Amino acid sequence: MEPAHIVIRTEDNRIFYDMPELSPCNGCGACCRTMRVSFYQGELDSLPGGFVPTHLTTQVSPFIACMKGTEKGGQPCIALQPDLRCAIYSQRPSTCREFPAYLEDGSPNPRCQELRARLGLNAPPPG
């Protein structure tokens, strides 16, 4: 059985999550459709070492950017495609990388369940 998500520990001791091809997140996009996706501007590809496409973002403050569409929350991210997959998955900001669909014990993240419920989606199966 494929894991619910892949845990990646970074050099600076952060935890990122990658979703396998057969993930309950595919076809959902609840987090991408409801949350403000803000992050440190150093992640922008217009800066050295950055990777998030700058043209898809809005500057929020001198140090913070967010994905277009999510400025006020409650609206979809510009990178969310009609099939509810991320158009920039490999370049997504840390905010997206750090949001776990599942908790360490394999249960669905309550925040994820709340967002899915708001959109009338069923809860994801246990991981």
Side-chain angles (χ1 to χ4, degrees):
M1 182 174 179
E2 200 166 11
H5 60 230
I6 301 156
V7 177
I8 301 165
R9 296 194 185 278
T10 65
E11 291 177 4
D12 59 353
N13 211 25
R14 296 180 350 186
I15 299 174
F16 288 164
Y17 301 94
D18 265 346
M19 296 299 142
E21 193 59 37
L22 299 174
S23 167
C25 294
N26 293 339
C28 174
C31 51
C32 311
R33 294 189 271 170
T34 57
M35 297 174 76
R36 180 170 131 176
V37 181
S38 55
F39 52 93
Y40 175 60
Q41 72 169 359
E43 295 182 43
L44 297 172
D45 66 2
S46 58
L47 297 171
F51 48 88
V52 178
T54 302
H55 70 281
L56 299 178
T57 66
T58 299
Q59 198 69 35
V60 175
S61 76
F63 300 104
I64 303 295
C66 76
M67 295 301 296
K68 285 183 180 177
T70 72
E71 292 90 343
K72 295 183 174 143
Q75 296 296 315
C77 174
I78 192 171
L80 187 64
Q81 300 176 105
D83 68 357
L84 301 177
R85 289 179 180 242
C86 181
I88 61 163
Y89 188 79
S90 64
Q91 297 169 282
R92 69 196 188 283
S94 59
T95 306
C96 304
R97 294 172 190 271
E98 293 172 344
F99 186 77
Y102 293 92
L103 303 178
E104 287 183 31
D105 67 1
S107 64
N109 179 340
R111 182 72 173 130
C112 176
Q113 289 182 299
E114 175 189 326
L115 298 173
R116 289 175 71 109
R118 257 196 235 172
L119 297 170
L121 302 171
N122 293 327

